[in-house]
Amino acid sequence: MNILLAFMIVMVILFIGLIAFKVSPGVMLFISAILMGLLTQMPIAETLSMTTGGFGNMMSSIGLLIIYGGIFGSMLGDSGGMEELAKGFLRKFGKKYDMLALNLTGFIISIPVYFGSAYITLSPLVESLRKFTKKNTSSYVAALFTGLLLTHCIVAPTPGPLAVAGQLNANIGWFIIYGIVVALVPSLLAGWKYADYLDRFLNKKNLQGDEKVDKKALAETILDSELIKPDPTKPSMSLTIGLIALPIVLIIFNSVFSLVLPEGNIIRAVFGFVGNNNVALFIAMIVSGFVLRKYLVPTHGANLWKYIDAVSDKVGNILMVIGTGGSFAAVLQGSGVGDALVELLTSFNMPLLLLAFLLAMIIRAAVGSATVAMLTTVAIVGQGAVSLGYSPVIIGLAICAGTVGLTLPTDAAFWLPARYNNLTVNEAVVASTIPNTLASIIAFIVILVLQSFVNVLPGMF
């Protein structure tokens, strides 16, 4: 059977399984890998070898990162550190810049913490702020949701970007640095500024004259001002920021020192060890565990080690999706579908960078999973683009940026504002789909700017 026809059949079956029958992504990715091998008449032994090899390669490259990163993120959430970080930003920026505060909170927290957990934890602040400032709920959701999703999809050590960087052999440290640059600009424009505009627009529509301030409203204001005060029973804002920064700084320092210092230099050697991706996140997990121990034990576990055991059990689902995504990627690459697709689209004069971006966005919209979209897209066009001279950092970030756009009802994330902030479907589109698609496009524009300087920027190859 023709390779591209086989690929289309497999993708349709994958979409149907994920969307119509709600099959677990890990199950459907493994089924898709086997089916792709059968349809392209790949020997069964070779297909099985590629599925297990792809799973193993993915686990060897980022398996420990996902485990340590997942436990690290859970510690920040379960201890209450994320809430204190959010409230700290709100106190510092004030009512005038509350959208910016909420956007930056989401931007920072979603680097180590999984998107869904972060949104659920922070969503009560949206209602508290709405009562305090009388601004529109949708605007607050847009600010928070966009900041969270951008770093979740673009900035490692989130599992998706880590997997993309691993598949392309991109330097993780530089991938983080450029990922932050690519994500920050759209976060401010499509998150903060869009939210401000949305609030002004909705207020004009709903303007009904001056509001009377009664005793009940005053009591609510006092109550909500109390809600953003520091809670002495939870980690402080500065402590939380420090813990989040710890692994990122170690990884970045390793990347920078390996570039500017000669081999054999003691500083380069030290950071080559502590700044190793696995070691840096392990250090962050252990340090956070002991620093936050009094907030985690005994509320969330009998002792620190029991807590770590319990959280590590929850990471298994992420490992399954990432690992089977590696299996599917290996079979796709072995079948030659990437080369065939690149050859076909090259005949239409579509740049590979644009192809990677659009393909990731379309797959994400169809299957409702940014991680699945990243793994599928990097398997299709990633290696082909790198072999043609594209920077693995640039092509990887283009794939990641594509998965930010088109947050539709196929994605569970779309329903979080409806469930936790009482938004209607139309309001959820305004608060999530529109700003995130805009953010995705802006991120791609930033990537195009970086691409124009790819030969002079450090860490691109």
Side-chain angles (χ1 to χ4, degrees), residues 239-262:
L239 175 60
T240 303
I241 290 178
L243 292 174
I244 291 173
L246 175 60
I248 296 173
V249 169
L250 290 176
I251 292 171
I252 289 175
F253 274 15
N254 176 33
S255 298
V256 173
F257 289 150
S258 66
L259 189 69
V260 301
L261 296 177

Side-chain angles (χ1 to χ4, degrees), residues 49-63 163 166-167 169 322-323 326-327 330 333:
S49 175
M50 286 184 177
T51 56
T52 55
F55 188 98
N57 290 337
M58 189 65 78
M59 289 299 100
S60 66
S61 62
I62 65 168
Q167 287 289 89
N169 296 315
I322 295 294
S327 298
Q333 291 170 4

Side-chain angles (χ1 to χ4, degrees), residues 206-211:
N206 300 326
L207 194 60
Q208 296 177 348
D210 295 333
E211 294 183 356

Side-chain angles (χ1 to χ4, degrees), residues 80-87 102 104-107 109-110 115-129 144 148 420-421:
M82 289 195 303
E83 285 184 62
E84 290 305 298
L85 176 60
K87 292 192 293 185
L102 205 56
L104 289 178
T105 298
F107 187 91
I109 284 177
S110 202
F115 173 87
S117 300
Y119 188 90
I120 292 169
T121 302
L122 296 176
S123 60
L125 284 174
V126 170
E127 183 62 19
S128 298
L129 282 169
L144 176 62
L148 285 168
Y420 292 96
N421 300 112

